[in-house]
Amino acid sequence: MKKLTFALVSLLLGTSLLAAWPLESPSAHAVEETKPSAPPSAPPKEPAADIAAPTLQAAVERFMKQLALQPGFEPWQQATWTSYPLGPGMHGWVIIVSAGGSEAGYLVIHAGEPDTYKLTEYGKGSYPLFSLQTLHRSLVQLELIEYPHQTERLYFGPLQALWKITVQNADRIWYIDAKTGEEMPFTGDAKLPKNKTPSAPNVQAFTNTDAKHTIKESGQAEPAEPYARLPWVQKSGKPLPFDDLKQLIAQGSKPVYAAQLYEGSVTVPLPVAGFQVWSSGDRFVQFRQDDDRFLPYEALQRLGSFYP
């Protein structure tokens, strides 16, 4: 897995890789957020509950049907899925997609207008966002799995998704990146995005893309190795219009994007691997982060810069 890079060009987090945690049998439902710890040999499944509304199931299935038409998403044609809520009051869900008994990708969906659900981000491959298998590997590596603990999903926006781990009688909190499973370099909530904590949640949708929209344009590129050259470390980035980014991809260039997160305490470099444009007007940039992840261009502009 690619390591998150701390501010001041610290490329090592000194944390752990992750081990397996089986999912529930795939179905369209949400689960509770609190669970007891378990021995590594037999981690328990999270208890299930019904999804928030029947229309969420319809939206998920339409998004999956549309994406299954795209190169690399073919396994989604016969896939099943499980939904999990994104923290108290967040009005969002992560959808874990499974195919052939293995994890095959994910969707993040937020509630919009009544009975409308917006697509916030998505990805394909064996390392989905908020994977229970990835979480379990982290807990094993951090030597927390044997202690009574609670886990909570926190989603503040694209690239700002965390597991919050509270261990009984511990004097600190652990935060783990929800995609890579890497431990964050802070133990409290001071560096979390402001006004988007569970006590003041961000309930807005991040895009205009709902289940009626389709993908009208796409492109792919061979991603770079972000640590092979370090322009994102050596100089400041400049705004890159989306059309210029498309041109770089068409020319075979290998741009890298870098985001500064959590008040500059973490820097995330991501190689660009393509793009998809939806009929809603939303542009999603494809990145390689263990596997493929699609993030909304507008949100990326606020968090970091592209480096050709």
Side-chain angles (χ1 to χ4, degrees):
M1 294 184 182
K2 295 295 186 291
K3 296 289 184 182
L4 295 178
T5 309
F6 293 170
L8 302 180
V9 200
S10 174
L11 304 178
L12 297 175
L13 285 176
T15 58
S16 33
L17 301 176
L18 311 174
W21 189 331
L23 289 172
E24 299 207 4
S25 57
S27 59
H29 58 261
V31 298
E32 296 178 358
E33 292 303 308
T34 303
K35 64 163 201 62
S37 62
S41 58
K45 300 175 182 179
E46 294 188 75
D50 292 335
I51 60 175
T55 50
L56 174 60
Q57 179 173 348
V60 170
E61 292 174 353
R62 290 194 64 178
F63 283 131
M64 289 178 59
K65 183 177 180 180
Q66 175 62 206
L67 285 165
L69 301 174
Q70 302 301 310
F73 285 88
E74 293 86 355
W76 288 32
Q77 296 175 7
Q78 304 297 325
T80 55
W81 57 275
T82 308
S83 68
Y84 302 94
L86 293 176
M90 292 287 180
H91 292 207
W93 299 263
V94 61
I95 311 299
I96 303 298
V97 179
S98 299
S102 300
E103 294 175 334
Y106 74 95
L107 308 165
V108 173
I109 295 175
H110 280 82
E113 298 80 16
D115 296 330
T116 300
Y117 298 91
K118 304 294 182 68
L119 182 62
T120 300
E121 66 168 275
Y122 53 98
K124 60 183 174 68
S126 302
Y127 299 96
L129 194 73
F130 288 113
S131 166
L132 293 178
Q133 296 184 31
T134 300
L135 171 65
H136 185 68
R137 286 197 292 270
S138 281
L139 293 175
V140 170
Q141 291 291 332
L142 292 171
E143 300 182 348
L144 300 177
I145 194 68
E146 61 193 76
Y147 298 102
H149 62 270
Q150 295 180 340
T151 62
E152 184 179 0
R153 297 172 183 84
L154 299 180
Y155 189 89
F156 302 105
L159 291 179
Q160 299 182 98
L162 299 169
W163 287 103
K164 179 181 179 180
I165 313 299
T166 305
V167 177
Q168 185 175 325
N169 298 325
D171 58 0
R172 57 163 292 185
I173 295 173
W174 285 260
Y175 292 94
I176 298 173
D177 183 81
K179 184 65 169 68
T180 66
E182 306 238 9
E183 183 185 4
M184 296 289 98
F186 45 83
T187 60
D189 62 4
K191 293 185 181 296
L192 298 181
K194 299 298 184 290
N195 299 322
K196 297 180 183 180
T197 62
S199 60
N202 176 21
V203 298
Q204 70 177 13
F206 294 88
T207 73
N208 295 315
T209 302
D210 62 35
K212 70 176 179 291
H213 292 113
T214 60
I215 297 171
K216 66 176 187 178
E217 185 182 2
S218 64
Q220 290 188 307
E222 183 64 29
E225 167 50 61
Y227 298 98
R229 59 187 186 92
L230 304 175
W232 50 273
V233 170
Q234 298 165 350
K235 60 183 180 180
S236 299
K238 298 179 180 180
L240 184 67
F242 187 75
D243 286 344
D244 292 352
L245 178 62
K246 287 172 54 179
Q247 185 175 3
L248 289 173
I249 292 172
Q251 293 172 347
S253 298
K254 297 182 178 182
V256 171
Y257 171 83
Q260 290 72 46
L261 307 174
Y262 309 113
E263 297 191 354
S265 62
V266 176
T267 299
V268 182
L270 297 172
V272 175
F275 68 91
Q276 290 182 343
V277 180
W278 288 70
S279 60
S280 61
D282 287 314
R283 291 85 55 90
F284 286 83
V285 182
Q286 178 181 354
F287 296 105
R288 185 65 47 81
Q289 191 181 28
D290 296 321
D291 44 30
D292 288 315
R293 186 177 187 182
F294 294 76
L295 303 175
Y297 172 78
E298 294 299 331
L300 295 171
Q301 292 290 86
R302 298 189 292 269
L303 294 173
S305 302
F306 290 90
Y307 299 82

